[in-house]
Amino acid sequence: MSLSLSGDQPEAPADADDGVWLECIECGETFAPFDDVRYTCDECDGLLEARYEELPTFDEFEGEGVWRYSAVLPFDEGVSIREGATPLYEVPGLENDIGVETLRIKHEGMNPTGSFKDRGMTVGVRVAKELAVDRLACASTGNTSAALAAYGSRGGMETLVLLPAGKVAAGKVAQASLHGARILEVDGNFDACLDIVQDLAEGGEAYLLNSLNPFRLEGQKTIGLEILEGFLADYDTVPDRIVLPVGNAGNTSALYKAFRELVQAGELAESDVPKLTGVQAEGAAPMVEAIENGADEVRRWEDVETRATAIRIGNPVNAPKALPGIRETGGTAVAVSDAEITDAQRDLAGEGIGVEPASAASVAGLRKLRREGIVGDDERVACLTTGHLLKDPDAAAAAGADPEPVPADTDGVLEHLQN
Ligand code: F0G
């Protein structure tokens, strides 16, 4: 079974809870959503998705932020720190330079903890409360740990995070630390951290809030809904393409789900669905490899490396949801070098938009695809920037100009400025 845009709305099983249930994307088995803790299918270990009896219509959304979309979320409200409602910036200089009809930047770095992860956590921590668990855990390249720590403490729960030692940007570790997470530094990469935390979760040690958790992706789905509403308000049409950085492929899966639900509801024509276009760093590009080879499965890369540490991931666990998303929407995936990522980070900074390296991958990827002619000059494009510049101060300082030492007197400063 592969997730398709034109799939019918399934019927609610008897054990649905208030019109919400979980369904396996592989074998179609359904489960009550909040009776037991479950991350994958009991029958075949496939990935799960949340399903709703009611499909979304644009006119029933009200309020601001993630919970504006409660009609397509498992609850009406969550453990909130006012996440979502992020800016969709115009960037006329960059739009002209890259050469597309329209370019807008959806800056998810403007969320409470500085990344899109907050959207997933407001929902995920609400579900954790429903399940009455007391400890939350995740593996992380940094941002998930910061969001989990903040939302966990807001929800009054203990948090445990597993980070790849030496490979997490300073701002993110600082956030997880101050928000009170217990931080375990693992002598291995992110994929090893995720293997371990999955074992811990299976053993009942903690509730897993990585994007393997289907409820996290429900919150992240609202990025797609906000982009569509923003384009409809400004241009009376949805974007042709959404370009986003890919690590575990959670966002790619979440946006695809948002579009599928709108198509099923008759709110979006199948032919209008934005082309989902994923960007990875060359040193960590298993999704790009799978798209280029037309493969059904993604090969796990054991050795990954990139300056964009947020997407330093070799085993994208959401690939079975994301590959059909890229293919069915007519999108593609592309790899960019660290140098191209840094250039794009500078380009965005030049428009006043401060992002961390992984975020800039979207703009670097768009530039490359435009140069190759895969993206046309008539396209309306939204690029997702996923995290704030201050997440990775070292990368920002390295990409920017060096401070200049001067003496502590005006004459000395003037003399320096004249040189
Ligand atoms: N951009 C940033 C800034 C991220 O932190 C991540 C993922 C991604 C992009 C990739 O998103 O996994 O949905 O494809 N960060 C995770 C973390 C893995 O632990 O913070 P994805």
Side-chain angles (χ1 to χ4, degrees):
M1 211 165 98
S2 177
L3 298 170
S4 78
L5 274 171
S6 51
D8 289 334
Q9 165 67 356
E11 294 225 340
D15 54 359
D17 184 330
D18 214 5
V20 184
W21 69 100
L22 287 171
E23 189 169 306
C24 173
I25 68 159
E26 303 292 346
C27 74
E29 184 68 29
T30 60
F31 302 95
F34 313 121
D35 287 4
D36 300 303
V37 172
R38 168 183 296 107
Y39 311 104
T40 53
C41 178
D42 295 6
E43 302 297 321
C44 75
D45 212 28
L47 297 177
L48 300 176
E49 274 194 337
R51 298 262 182 265
Y52 306 93
E53 208 160 13
E54 299 289 329
L55 286 170
T57 54
F58 281 116
D59 60 13
E60 73 189 306
F61 299 146
E62 57 178 12
E64 203 180 59
V66 166
W67 296 97
R68 168 177 174 76
Y69 305 101
S70 60
V72 280
L73 295 175
F75 296 100
D76 289 338
E77 51 190 29
V79 176
S80 175
I81 323 177
R82 301 205 183 179
E83 48 293 316
T86 54
L88 185 63
Y89 291 123
E90 291 177 346
V91 281
L94 202 49
E95 176 183 273
N96 189 41
D97 190 40
I98 292 179
V100 287
E101 169 71 22
T102 304
L103 176 60
R104 299 287 289 265
I105 304 294
K106 181 68 171 166
H107 191 17
E108 286 296 298
M110 302 299 278
N111 273 297
T113 77
S115 86
F116 68 91
K117 306 288 182 181
D118 297 348
R119 294 182 188 262
M121 288 304 170
T122 187
V123 177
V125 174
R126 172 68 185 85
V127 173
K129 280 197 165 291
E130 191 74 11
L131 292 164
V133 297
D134 48 23
R135 181 151 72 162
L136 313 175
C138 71
S140 183
T141 57
N143 284 322
T144 303
S145 71
L148 181 78
Y151 282 81
S153 53
R154 186 91 184 162
M157 282 175 255
E158 244 183 89
T159 52
L160 176 68
V161 306
L162 280 75
L163 307 181
K167 295 293 181 182
V168 179
K172 306 173 188 182
V173 184
Q175 287 178 292
S177 167
L178 186 61
H179 286 300
R182 186 160 178 197
I183 304 174
L184 305 184
E185 279 193 331
V186 176
D187 180 18
N189 63 22
F190 167 82
D191 304 296
C193 295
L194 187 56
D195 288 344
I196 296 167
V197 82
Q198 270 183 262
D199 288 342
L200 295 179
E202 292 300 335
E205 290 290 329
Y207 183 61
L208 182 72
L209 274 172
N210 278 99
S211 56
L212 193 65
N213 185 315
F215 296 113
R216 268 262 322 264
L217 298 186
E218 290 306 291
Q220 289 172 212
K221 189 173 79 173
T222 62
I223 301 172
L225 297 170
E226 280 183 20
I227 292 175
L228 262 49
E229 285 198 308
F231 269 70
L232 284 168
D234 292 348
Y235 311 110
D236 207 24
T237 177
V238 300
D240 299 307
R241 187 181 297 272
I242 297 180
V243 187
L244 73 168
V246 174
N248 252 333
N251 269 338
T252 316
S253 309
L255 265 60
Y256 182 43
K257 185 166 193 279
F259 302 153
R260 270 187 288 136
E261 288 176 349
L262 289 170
V263 169
Q264 282 170 15
E267 290 283 284
L268 178 66
E270 211 177 310
S271 55
D272 286 344
V273 171
K275 297 177 170 68
L276 282 173
T277 302
V279 187
Q280 293 193 299
E282 279 173 357
M287 283 283 291
V288 176
E289 180 182 70
I291 288 290
E292 282 177 353
N293 296 340
D296 286 337
E297 281 180 20
V298 171
R299 181 178 69 89
R300 177 176 177 143
W301 288 23
E302 293 300 337
D303 296 313
V304 280
E305 204 48 84
T306 167
R307 193 182 298 162
T309 52
I311 51 172
R312 188 175 171 275
I313 294 175
N315 186 33
V317 290
N318 289 298
K321 293 178 174 177
L323 283 176
I326 291 173
R327 291 191 174 122
E328 287 269 309
T329 61
T332 187
V334 66
V336 292
S337 68
D338 280 2
E340 289 170 315
I341 288 174
T342 303
D343 284 346
Q345 205 185 2
R346 291 194 190 104
D347 288 343
L348 284 160
E351 297 265 13
I353 301 173
V355 307
E356 67 165 290
S359 303
S362 58
V363 170
L366 174 66
R367 190 185 282 284
K368 184 169 179 180
L369 291 170
R370 179 68 198 93
R371 200 169 56 229
E372 292 173 349
I374 294 166
V375 172
D377 60 3
D378 57 347
E379 289 196 29
R380 291 186 190 274
V381 183
C383 277
L384 197 62
T385 56
T386 41
H388 198 276
L389 176 153
L390 291 173
K391 290 285 193 170
D392 193 343
D394 297 327
D402 289 336
E404 302 163 46
V406 291
D409 64 86
T410 308
D411 288 344
V413 169
L414 279 172
E415 193 183 325
H416 178 87
L417 285 175
Q418 271 144 26
N419 289 332

